[in-house]
Amino acid sequence: MDKNKVSEWIKKRKWDILFFGILGLIVFVPQVRMPVMSTVQRVLARTPKELAPEQQKTIQTFDWMLTDVNNNMVNLSESRGKVTIINLWATWCPPCVAEMPSLQKLYDHYGDQLDYYFISNENPEVIQRFMKSKGYTFPVYIPINTPPTQFHSNSLPTTYVIDKNEKIVMEEVGAHDWFSESFRAKVNMLLEE
């Protein structure tokens, strides 16, 4: 095959070659899998949407005991009447890792105006290592007892936004952009209520 034909063949199939190259990296190089998958998830992340009023659930109980990575106990009930973000996640979950930068920005922007519960079932040392390597500073908790039924989820990440009236106004599964302009506008409205 002459050089011109090879060059022409490559030009025609450059996107196929790129796709299979990335797929090969993901499959055959485990160290690349997480960064590639989380980057793709981050690019595809959508803005969270508010639940329709008839879909919004009122939380029956806020009694959920948690411990932070330093073994300090906290109860979700401390957040009654406050705008609260609950994010169920894991360090090994690509969509979880994908949305973390936007959640950190949200935490940096609103600080103590919101209550945050980033909840993982992982070992505290694993969580601390991950947080340090990424430079994240938001609070992470480990559940001590079973969550209230409204927070049972079989998918990671799952994020709940709770208003001051103790209603779940957003419930999103998968990677989302939690620092989008429209989400911040919604948070501002919830804070003003």
Side-chain angles (χ1 to χ4, degrees):
M1 211 180 220
D2 79 38
K3 272 186 166 178
N4 288 337
K5 286 185 179 182
V6 170
S7 179
E8 191 176 305
W9 184 86
I10 289 172
K11 282 182 185 178
K12 283 183 180 179
R13 290 165 180 81
K14 66 183 173 191
W15 295 112
D16 294 337
I17 294 167
L18 178 64
F19 173 76
F20 285 108
I22 291 171
L23 185 62
L25 283 173
I26 291 171
V27 171
F28 297 113
V29 185
Q31 301 88 331
V32 175
R33 187 174 298 133
M34 176 66 83
V36 169
M37 290 176 72
S38 61
T39 299
V40 169
Q41 292 276 337
R42 191 171 300 123
V43 169
L44 299 175
R46 303 174 318 274
T47 295
K49 301 286 184 220
E50 186 173 3
L51 293 168
E54 64 274 6
Q55 295 176 314
Q56 296 177 6
K57 301 176 227 163
T58 300
I59 298 171
Q60 301 304 313
T61 179
F62 272 79
D63 188 29
W64 190 9
M65 292 302 298
L66 308 161
T67 181
D68 69 13
V69 292
N70 296 314
N71 213 25
N72 299 309
M73 304 242 316
V74 67
N75 193 317
L76 181 64
S77 64
E78 296 171 24
S79 294
R80 284 192 102 127
K82 299 177 184 176
V83 179
T84 304
I85 310 281
I86 297 175
N87 178 266
L88 309 177
W89 71 287
T91 62
W92 49 262
C93 163
C96 301
V97 173
E99 69 178 4
M100 287 293 154
S102 68
L103 288 163
Q104 179 66 52
K105 286 180 189 173
L106 185 75
Y107 178 73
D108 292 341
H109 184 76
Y110 285 100
D112 62 3
Q113 295 178 67
L114 303 173
D115 278 7
Y116 306 87
Y117 295 87
F118 294 88
I119 301 170
S120 176
N121 284 315
E122 293 176 278
N123 182 301
E125 290 80 27
V126 170
I127 295 168
Q128 286 175 315
R129 221 175 13 255
F130 174 83
M131 297 290 287
K132 185 176 180 182
S133 74
K134 301 293 184 183
Y136 296 146
T137 58
F138 48 76
V140 178
Y141 300 96
I142 300 156
I144 295 174
N145 61 353
T146 304
T149 55
Q150 288 92 350
F151 304 123
H152 284 194
S153 176
N154 293 324
S155 300
L156 294 178
T158 299
T159 306
Y160 304 91
V161 179
I162 303 161
D163 70 9
K164 293 178 182 178
N165 299 315
E166 303 176 2
K167 286 192 180 234
I168 298 173
V169 295
M170 291 184 182
E171 180 177 342
E172 292 287 8
V173 173
H176 286 79
D177 180 1
W178 295 101
F179 199 67
S180 68
E181 192 174 318
S182 62
F183 181 68
R184 282 180 283 137
K186 178 60 183 172
V187 169
N188 293 337
M189 283 176 43
L190 292 173
L191 288 170
E192 290 172 7
E193 289 180 347

